């Protein structure tokens, strides 16, 4: 495998299977040997910039811990502290900011979600603009389209509980009703990386909650390549039959930006009416004793019941922990 040094990570689909598996294997080794001197100096004296347009619990904390555990430092940045040019204000261009930041740090993470964009795709375009001008690796820390660190953490959790070969296991990616009106990033990343690893994917959501057609086309291609099944259902129960993994998550409709800005209140009102779409114990009984997963934060009582989220088959905290290990592996491979 060619070195990953200097590579950006905007979506796992842009890395080869070999590169993803190498990252997962390194993350698993880093988990097993967390403070081994082999790893604790990998980013000695280096700084990773974390540029957050939106809040976070897991991403900020796990990247800060990752940098510390590799011997480096992670610095928190937000747009209000940077005097950047926007559609409404004069300021510094992305080209200038990216070129300057690359003179200081070993890598740049960016998060831009829901309400910080005016149309689906703008966050993705911004991250790629930083990657274009920056000479250091740019990593998505979740944006409107993808969440690669989450996708890797998800499959690291599945590998631990189901074995390293996920081929033939069935993932149910199911919409959950709720009051958080989420981006498509975690869900799209999950169906891309799981289909890439040979899993059968069932996508279940109410009519009107379609994901990005380009992503769905890619998932179909991934499934065809690995002789895996891909299906979409609009029934809130059917997809649970025979599932090995249930991943519930709310996501917005494709009309969320029709007014030119994110219609959070309208999205929440529509979603809260669809009360049948909750992952509960009765639905989980239809599965193949499935694991329950979710990237968190969870909207308990809407997306999933407490009984399932905190039940014996839930791997939510393992997956949250995995964010630390996969990000350490990504940083070591691309920035050291
Ligand atoms: N899963 C995830 O990215 O969590 P945060 O939004 O808390 O970072």
């Amino acid at each position: 495998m060619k070195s990953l040094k200097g590579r950006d990570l905007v979506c796992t689909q842009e890395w080869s299977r070999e590169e993803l598996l190498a990252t997962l294997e390194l993350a698993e080794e880093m988990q097993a040997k967390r403070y081994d001197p082999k790893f604790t100096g990998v980013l000695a004296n280096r700084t990773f910039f974390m540029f957050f347009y939106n809040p976070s619990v897991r991403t900020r904390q796990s990247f800060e811990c990752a940098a510390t555990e590799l011997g480096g430092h992670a610095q928190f940045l937000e747009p209000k502290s940077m005097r950047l040019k926007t559609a409404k204000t004069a300021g510094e261009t992305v080209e200038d900011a990216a070129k300057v930041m690359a003179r200081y740090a070993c890598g740049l993470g960016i998060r831009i979600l829901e309400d910080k964009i005016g149309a689906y795709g703008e966050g993705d375009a911004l991250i790629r603009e930083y990657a274009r001008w920056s000479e250091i690796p740019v990593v998505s820390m979740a944006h409107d389209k993808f969440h690669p660190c989450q996708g890797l953490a998800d499959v690291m959790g599945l590998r631990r509980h189901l074995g390293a070969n996920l081929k033939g296991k069935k993932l149910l990616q199911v919409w959950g009703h709720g009051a958080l009106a989420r981006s498509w990033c975690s869900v799209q990343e999950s169906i891309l990386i799981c289909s890439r690893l040979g899993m059968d994917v069932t996508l279940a959501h109410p009519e009107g909650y379609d994901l990005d057609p380009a992503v769905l086309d890619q998932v179909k291609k991934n499934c065809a390549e690995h002789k895996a099944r891909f299906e979409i259902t609009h029934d809130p129960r059917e997809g649970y039959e025979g599932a090995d993994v249930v991943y519930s998550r709310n996501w917005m409709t494709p009309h969320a930006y029709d007014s030119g800005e994110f219609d959070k209140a309208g999205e929440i009102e529509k979603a809260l009416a669809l009360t049948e779409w909750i992952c509960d114990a009765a639905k989980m009984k239809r599965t193949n004793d499935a694991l329950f997963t979710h990237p968190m934060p969870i909207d308990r009582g809407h997306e999933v019941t407490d009984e399932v989220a905190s039940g014996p088959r839930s791997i939510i905290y393992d997956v949250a922990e995995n964010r630390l290990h996969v990000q350490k592996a990504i940083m070591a491979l691309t920035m050291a």
Side-chain angles (χ1 to χ4, degrees), residues 156-178:
M156 184 175 168
L158 303 188
R159 281 161 60 96
R160 175 171 166 191
H161 290 274
L162 299 177
N165 183 4
L166 297 173
K167 188 164 172 48
K169 300 289 183 192
K170 175 178 169 179
L171 167 72
L172 170 64
Q173 190 78 52
V174 58
W175 187 87
H177 86 301

Side-chain angles (χ1 to χ4, degrees), residues 174-190:
V174 58
W175 187 87
H177 86 301
L180 287 179
R182 323 253 201 180
S183 287
W184 294 348
C185 58
S186 301
V187 172
Q188 296 193 149
E189 195 72 57
S190 168

Side-chain angles (χ1 to χ4, degrees), residues 55-60 111 142 147 150 295-297 323:
S56 158
V57 170
R58 278 143 294 274
T59 304
R60 178 176 178 182
R111 162 168 291 200
H147 196 350
Q150 186 63 53
M296 307 180 84
R323 292 292 304 278

Side-chain angles (χ1 to χ4, degrees), residues 195-209:
S195 58
R196 206 78 189 290
L197 298 179
M199 294 183 75
D200 295 330
V201 175
T202 296
L203 185 59
H205 60 77
E207 301 270 7
Y209 280 84

Side-chain angles (χ1 to χ4, degrees), residues 1 9 22 51-52 115 157 229 232 326:
M1 188 185 82
L9 181 56
F51 186 17
F52 280 97
D115 54 324
R229 281 198 305 270
I232 298 178
V326 298

